[in-house]
Amino acid sequence: MSTFNITEDKISVFFLTGIPRMEHVYIWMSIPICLIYIIAALGNSAILILIKTEPSLHEPMYYFLSMLAFSDLCLSFSTLPTMLRIFLFNATGISTDACIAQEFFIHTFGAMESSVLVIMSFDHFLAIRNPLRYSSILTNVRVMQIRLIFAILSFIFLLPLPITLRKLKYCKGNHLSYSFCLLQDIMRLACSDSRIKVIFGFFVAILSMLDFLVIVMSYVLILKTVLGIASHQEHLKPLITCVFHFCAVLIFYMPIISMSIAHRFAKHGSPIIRILLADIFLFVSPLMNPIVYCVKTRQIWERVLGKLRLKKA
């Protein structure tokens, strides 16, 4: 018998989870959640508009930053509908098709952001290792090609996931563990052969960890190159640049790693910890990246202050 036809019962609705035992204060919790979404949307939109409209920011580093802002913006909007429905109206139901679509967008834009962080680490390495050849290697045309290739690859690699999830039958309940749909959470309810779950879980884990390992390796090479520079004063600028980027890497990956550890070793612990880690994954990166890069990047900071001064005048 096919693994896709284990049961005749067809679940058409999943039920998401807000924060257990906190239902009575959902309406109050919706206020900071809405503020986080608004700040993240405004911050990332401002970066996109600023980079597009300022000719002085038409450089590879800022193009990659615009890719990061775009990924953060889409990641936020992917979860916005279900989060607001739960915390504003206590409406937890979502159709299976909508849930699978949301899962696809969350993982696609998460993979896109991870890829951008890899590209940016390579960009920093190239700028430090070969500063004289940097502009000739990373031309605007090549940057556009890289952006397009990584966006297409993120879409293609993850396209089989919703197609397969759409074919599965679900017989192990219809209550999901988070306020949005994640692959591992949906797979937990499937009446499929355990091998499918292992393959899917392994595939997603490999994609995430491979990017993280490439970033770590690039920073090892960057550190080796920087330490080889004779002047201690010349160490400072590239190290500061890398520290800010590595902060963005940690902001993105630490919740993912913590969530994986919690799933593996704290299955019988409080579900609130896992829920908060998942929310941090989706909230912190889109919220903090504009702050981190605006503080770090003098040109962006100066343009933002200049726009504010013009409005006051």
Side-chain angles (χ1 to χ4, degrees):
M1 184 180 290
S2 170
T3 57
F4 295 150
N5 297 307
I6 292 176
T7 180
E8 296 299 323
D9 296 328
K10 182 175 176 62
I11 292 175
S12 59
V13 177
F14 288 128
F15 291 96
L16 300 166
T17 302
I19 299 179
R21 300 185 297 275
M22 299 290 287
E23 291 83 358
H24 59 290
V25 292
Y26 273 2
I27 192 67
W28 297 108
M29 294 176 68
S30 67
I31 296 173
I33 289 171
C34 288
L35 285 175
I36 289 171
Y37 273 117
I38 291 169
I39 294 169
L42 289 175
N44 287 293
S45 298
I47 286 178
L48 287 171
I49 293 168
L50 203 61
I51 291 173
K52 182 176 177 58
T53 57
E54 287 290 337
S56 61
L57 300 180
H58 293 176
E59 298 176 9
M61 180 179 71
Y62 300 108
Y63 286 135
F64 294 140
L65 181 55
S66 69
M67 290 173 63
L68 191 67
F70 177 76
S71 302
D72 281 332
L73 202 58
C74 293
L75 194 59
S76 295
F77 284 126
S78 298
T79 59
L80 180 63
T82 54
M83 291 289 287
L84 292 186
R85 285 178 68 241
I86 290 171
F87 289 97
L88 282 176
F89 309 109
N90 200 17
T92 60
I94 182 172
S95 69
T96 54
D97 288 342
C99 191
I100 290 169
Q102 186 184 56
E103 168 273 328
F104 173 69
F105 287 123
I106 289 173
H107 286 285
T108 298
F109 291 119
M112 194 181 296
E113 179 160 350
S114 180
S115 300
V116 173
L117 291 171
V118 172
I119 297 169
M120 291 178 80
S121 67
F122 172 74
D123 174 67
H124 290 321
F125 172 69
L126 189 62
I128 293 170
R129 186 68 180 267
N130 292 303
L132 298 179
R133 296 184 58 201
Y134 175 79
S135 57
S136 62
I137 295 173
L138 276 182
T139 61
N140 287 344
V141 174
R142 282 188 181 143
V143 170
M144 296 301 292
Q145 290 171 344
I146 290 170
R147 293 169 66 178
L148 184 61
I149 288 169
F150 273 85
I152 293 172
L153 287 177
S154 298
F155 179 83
I156 290 174
F157 280 150
L158 291 166
L159 187 59
L161 301 185
I163 295 172
T164 306
L165 289 175
R166 184 77 174 73
K167 294 179 180 179
L168 294 176
K169 300 291 185 180
Y170 301 94
C171 62
K172 297 182 180 179
N174 58 355
H175 283 81
L176 298 173
S177 305
Y178 305 106
S179 306
F180 41 84
C181 301
L182 291 177
L183 172 66
Q184 300 88 332
D185 207 21
I186 300 174
M187 286 298 301
R188 179 178 56 84
L189 304 178
C191 310
S192 60
D193 191 318
S194 60
R195 286 174 298 179
I196 296 176
K197 298 181 182 181
V198 171
I199 291 169
F200 270 48
F202 182 74
F203 177 73
V204 172
I206 284 294
L207 282 180
S208 300
M209 293 312 298
L210 186 62
D211 285 349
F212 185 69
L213 289 174
V214 170
I215 292 171
V216 170
M217 285 177 58
S218 69
Y219 273 96
V220 170
L221 294 173
I222 286 171
L223 189 60
K224 183 179 177 183
T225 303
V226 170
L227 292 177
I229 300 172
S231 170
H232 289 290
Q233 275 191 330
E234 292 176 357
H235 291 171
L236 192 59
K237 186 177 178 180
L239 282 177
I240 290 174
T241 301
C242 293
V243 163
F244 276 99
H245 177 61
F246 202 69
C247 285
V249 172
L250 292 178
I251 287 169
F252 180 75
Y253 280 105
M254 286 309 294
I256 297 176
I257 295 170
S258 301
M259 194 163 55
S260 301
I261 293 171
H263 265 291
R264 179 65 182 86
F265 299 106
K267 292 181 180 179
H268 305 294
S270 172
I272 295 178
I273 295 174
R274 295 196 297 272
I275 291 169
L276 289 176
L277 286 172
D279 290 344
I280 288 170
F281 160 61
L282 289 174
F283 285 151
V284 173
S285 185
L287 179 67
M288 292 303 297
N289 279 339
I291 298 171
V292 168
Y293 281 102
C294 282
V295 170
K296 171 251 174 183
T297 310
R298 181 176 56 83
Q299 290 93 326
I300 289 181
W301 184 241
E302 287 175 352
R303 298 299 184 282
V304 171
L305 290 177
K307 299 281 186 185
L308 293 174
R309 288 194 194 100
L310 284 174
K311 286 183 180 180
K312 285 180 180 180

